Structure formats: C-alpha cells, structure tokens
Amino acid sequence: FILFASCVPLATWAQTPDEDAIQKVILDGYRAYATRDAPALFALFSERSPYLPEFKLYFQQEFTRNEKTKIESMNVRLLRKIEVENDKATARVYSEIKATYTDTGRPAEGFGDTDHTLRFVKEDGVWKVWQFGDTAQEIIGDLLAAKTEAESAAILKERGEPITGGLLQGLKNQAESFLDGKGDYAQAAIVYNIILKISKQLNFPLGIANALVGLGDVYAAQGDYIRAGDNYETVMKMAENLGVKEAIAAMSVKLGNIHYHQGNFTQAMEYYQRSAQGYEELGSKVNIAYPLFSIGNAYLAQGNYPQALEYLQRSLKIYEQIFDKAGTAYLLNKTGDVYAVQGDYTRAVDYYQRSLKLHEELGNRAQIGYSLNGIGNVRYLQGNYTEAAELSSRAVDLIKGS
C-alpha cells in the first residue's frame, strides 16, 4: 500500500470512491508539506474542527524551524486499509522523509520516519481532515493504563500493528517527554520497556539501543549510576560491533557523565576526549561542543581553572558559531563561575550579564535566576551586601516560580 507524494499512486487493492478521495487528500497534504504551501495544507482541514488552531500552529512552527532545509525524498504509505463509516473515516499513514540543510548539504535533523493517524469528516460531499495525530501519542494512555503484559500486547495488536519505525520513534518521544518534561521516571521506564520488548521481538537493534539508553537515562536521573552505566556499556558494545561511530561518540559522553558523577574525573575525561575526537572525525561541529564543555567542567570540579577555561571557551565558541542561544547562555554563565572563583570579578560579572541578556531573550526564568544569582554572589564577595541581597532575592523568586 505505498503512496508516493511525488506522483499519482497506483492502488493495489480494491478501493471505493470515498477511499480514493481520502487518499487524494492525504497525498495533497504531504505535497503541500513538502513545498511548504501552508494555505494549501490548511485548506484540507475542516473549518469546524476544534483541532484546526493547534494544527495550524504546529505546522507554522514546523515550517519556520525547517526554513533552511530541503526535502529530498518523501515516501508515504497507508499502513491499513482506510476505515470509512458513513461520513467519518480513519487512516493510518507512515511516511519516510529525507531532507538536507541548504547551506551544508548535510542530512537535516527532525525528519525521518513518522506514524500518524488521520481522521476525516465528509462535509457537503467533500472529505476534510478533522484530526492529525501521532499514533504513539494516541495509544500511549491505554498502554500506560494496561495492568498486565497481556493487556498491553492486545492494545498494540489492535491499534499499533503493523509496528513501524515511526511508531517506535513516537513512543520514544513520549518516553522522553515523561523523563525530561515531567520528571515522571516511572512512566518513562514503562514506555522504554515497551519499546525494548517490541524491538527484541522484531530483532530491531536501533530500537533495542534506544530503549536501553532511555532506561539508562532514567536510572541516571534517579542517581542509580551503576545500572545506568551497565545500560550505556551494553549499547557501546553494540555500537562498536556494528561500527556506528556516532553512537560510540554519544555513548562516550554518557559514560563520561557516569564517571563524573561518581567522582572518577580521570576516566570521565578519557570518555569525553573519545567523544570529542569521534565527533571531530565525523565533522559534527554541533556535537563536539558538549564533550568539550564536559571536559572543562571536569577540570573545574578538580580546581584546575586554566584548563577549565580553555575547554569552556572552546565549547562556547562553537555554540556561538552555530547560533545556539541556550547553549551559549549556559556556557557564558559557567565561564563566569570560573572567573568568579578565581577572583576576577570584572570578567565574571561581564559573562553573567551576557548570559542574563540571552536568557531574557529566551524567556527562561530559572536560568535568568541563576545568572542573577551569579552576579549577586560577586557583589557579596565585593562587599556590596545590599545589592547582593536584592539580586539573590530576585533569583530565588525566579527559580522557584519556573
């Protein structure tokens, strides 16, 4: 059941006129997405749908985010026969999208495989999109509510099959949302274990690796560094056996973090150096910045301030070059900490203020608080206790209110 967004598809199964019409809406939608034709895309959606504002906002943000990318290929496939019941219909659509950055020609992030469930309504004889949803997001609630593995398996069989890379990616996104967005470690672990079980059944190495890394992240967030390290080591061995250099570099950072939190700074820096070298060989400037920062942070923890500054400055330079405001602001604040502890208060305040300005532009209240707190600490050390108290009070309010 393969539909190509670049040409008229050839149906391989008997279709009704309604199914043909819905299929055309799907293809028109993906064509409009590929060409960033927002008016054409939005025209396919029902004006009566309560999901329309959310749909418009999502794709407006998507088009803005991908302004400097070019879609190279797009394959759209129906995963199931379209279900039509009177004036309503449901279609499950899998897409494989490859895109590149227009300035570098490198593969663009944020694309790949997706698995969506679309609902339609027939208005005045014309089929319109009523809802555009992520399949994983739609079934995650029922999966989490399942009390037994048998219930979970039944839900996946009824609503998740066929299992696709897009569905697994969607489940991974949900798990990351629980872990990073909500700090709900229990729910995140449940979803990662579901991904792990499915991936093992399908003998899908990438899914297994993603699940093990995710569970490692859950353990690390809870301070269980031994179990986290075991998971990361398992994935590292998988990556080494398969020769996946990017995964080796990524796991090196995570293993470095484990050793850092355990106070094993020498081993931590060995892993960070391996990661930085791996990303450099891959030509991935974006990813080199973090291991360089981590090396600087490890030197800072050991009181080696000159070396800490060297690596923090190298990392900062990369974040500035790639226009990563959040990364730049964080590194500015961290560098301010080093100057402050060395007693170079003028430079420390300069870095804190530069960090503060960027965090204010980003609207990150907690990070604004940390920058103000840094300036407050310097003012205290300079004997300006009144200003120090005012800044610290503002910082506490911002951090608590975030």
Side-chain angles (χ1 to χ4, degrees):
F1 297 177
I2 296 177
L3 310 178
F4 294 97
S6 57
C7 62
V8 178
L10 298 174
T12 57
W13 73 96
Q15 293 198 125
T16 66
D18 279 330
E19 290 170 348
D20 279 333
I22 292 167
Q23 181 174 282
K24 183 177 184 305
V25 173
I26 294 169
L27 286 177
D28 286 347
Y30 278 91
R31 286 194 187 99
Y33 173 76
T35 57
R36 294 190 180 87
D37 188 344
L41 181 62
F42 299 155
L44 299 171
F45 218 93
S46 168
E47 290 287 343
R48 302 171 192 169
S49 172
Y51 304 103
L52 180 56
E54 178 186 332
F55 178 83
K56 285 185 174 180
L57 178 62
Y58 173 81
F59 279 100
Q60 284 166 348
Q61 291 174 339
E62 185 82 354
F63 290 152
T64 300
R65 183 175 66 84
N66 296 322
E67 202 169 22
K68 295 183 179 180
T69 62
K70 177 186 177 185
I71 291 179
E72 302 291 347
S73 65
M74 179 183 289
N75 180 22
V76 184
R77 179 160 51 103
L78 280 174
L79 291 170
R80 294 180 174 182
K81 192 173 177 65
I82 298 171
E83 299 174 11
V84 181
E85 186 175 349
N86 299 321
D87 60 349
K88 296 180 181 179
T90 303
R92 188 169 160 209
V93 183
Y94 180 64
S95 65
E96 300 166 284
I97 303 173
K98 294 181 180 179
T100 56
Y101 291 111
T102 53
D103 53 350
T104 65
R106 292 184 178 278
E109 297 178 358
F111 292 89
D113 301 352
T114 63
D115 189 326
H116 288 107
T117 298
L118 284 74
R119 290 183 173 78
F120 301 84
V121 291
K122 197 173 189 179
E123 298 176 349
D124 301 323
V126 178
W127 285 101
K128 293 280 188 176
V129 180
W130 182 260
Q131 185 180 13
F132 176 87
D134 182 278
T135 303
Q137 192 171 358
E138 293 207 349
I139 67 174
I140 195 68
D142 291 335
L143 285 173
L144 291 173
K147 296 177 181 177
T148 65
E149 285 194 11
E151 284 184 30
S152 178
I155 292 165
L156 284 169
K157 183 174 181 62
E158 180 184 349
R159 300 174 59 192
E161 290 187 354
I163 303 297
T164 66
L167 177 62
L168 290 174
Q169 180 61 48
L171 289 171
K172 178 173 175 282
N173 293 342
Q174 291 298 308
E176 289 173 351
S177 175
F178 285 126
L179 176 60
D180 300 325
K182 302 174 183 176
D184 192 334
Y185 306 133
Q187 299 282 55
I190 290 172
V191 181
Y192 280 128
N193 275 309
I194 290 171
I195 297 170
L196 182 60
K197 183 179 179 180
I198 294 171
S199 299
K200 284 181 175 179
Q201 289 173 345
L202 297 175
N203 192 24
F204 182 45
L206 179 59
I208 294 170
N210 283 336
L212 288 173
V213 171
L215 285 168
D217 292 345
V218 172
Y219 299 144
Q222 293 175 306
D224 189 346
Y225 300 122
I226 293 176
R227 291 179 74 188
D230 288 344
N231 274 31
Y232 297 153
E233 285 283 7
T234 300
V235 178
M236 173 69 91
K237 289 175 184 175
M238 291 174 63
E240 288 173 338
N241 290 336
L242 294 170
V244 184
K245 291 184 178 180
E246 189 166 1
I248 293 170
M251 285 305 98
S252 294
V253 166
K254 288 185 178 292
L255 284 165
N257 288 341
I258 294 299
H259 285 291
Y260 175 90
H261 287 297
Q262 292 175 321
N264 304 324
F265 300 121
T266 301
Q267 289 172 289
M269 286 194 288
E270 288 175 0
Y271 276 110
Y272 293 145
Q273 290 282 11
R274 184 182 183 187
S275 176
Q277 184 179 347
Y279 283 129
E280 189 170 3
E281 290 173 359
L282 290 165
S284 181
K285 179 182 286 189
V286 174
N287 290 315
I288 294 172
Y290 183 74
L292 289 178
F293 154 73
S294 300
I295 295 169
N297 202 38
Y299 275 123
L300 176 59
Q302 297 172 89
N304 189 335
Y305 305 128
Q307 286 287 78
L309 278 175
E310 178 189 337
Y311 280 93
L312 291 177
Q313 292 284 9
R314 286 173 62 184
S315 179
L316 174 60
K317 184 177 180 181
I318 294 173
Y319 279 120
E320 288 175 331
Q321 289 174 342
I322 63 176
F323 304 104
D324 185 329
K325 275 190 178 183
T328 299
Y330 185 81
L331 262 293
L332 286 169
N333 205 75
K334 199 74 176 179
T335 306
D337 290 343
V338 181
Y339 282 122
V341 83
Q342 288 182 301
D344 190 342
Y345 300 139
T346 301
R347 283 189 180 178
V349 170
D350 175 58
Y351 275 83
Y352 288 139
Q353 288 177 334
R354 288 165 61 190
S355 174
L356 176 62
K357 182 180 179 182
L358 289 176
H359 283 311
E360 286 176 338
E361 290 175 5
L362 293 167
N364 190 327
R365 290 172 58 85
Q367 294 301 327
I368 291 170
Y370 290 126
S371 295
L372 288 173
N373 191 59
I375 299 171
N377 288 339
V378 170
R379 295 305 184 219
Y380 181 86
L381 292 169
Q382 291 175 319
N384 192 338
Y385 304 124
T386 301
E387 185 180 357
E390 290 174 355
L391 289 167
S392 295
S393 178
R394 287 174 58 194
V396 169
D397 289 341
L398 285 164
I399 294 169
K400 283 185 176 179
S402 62

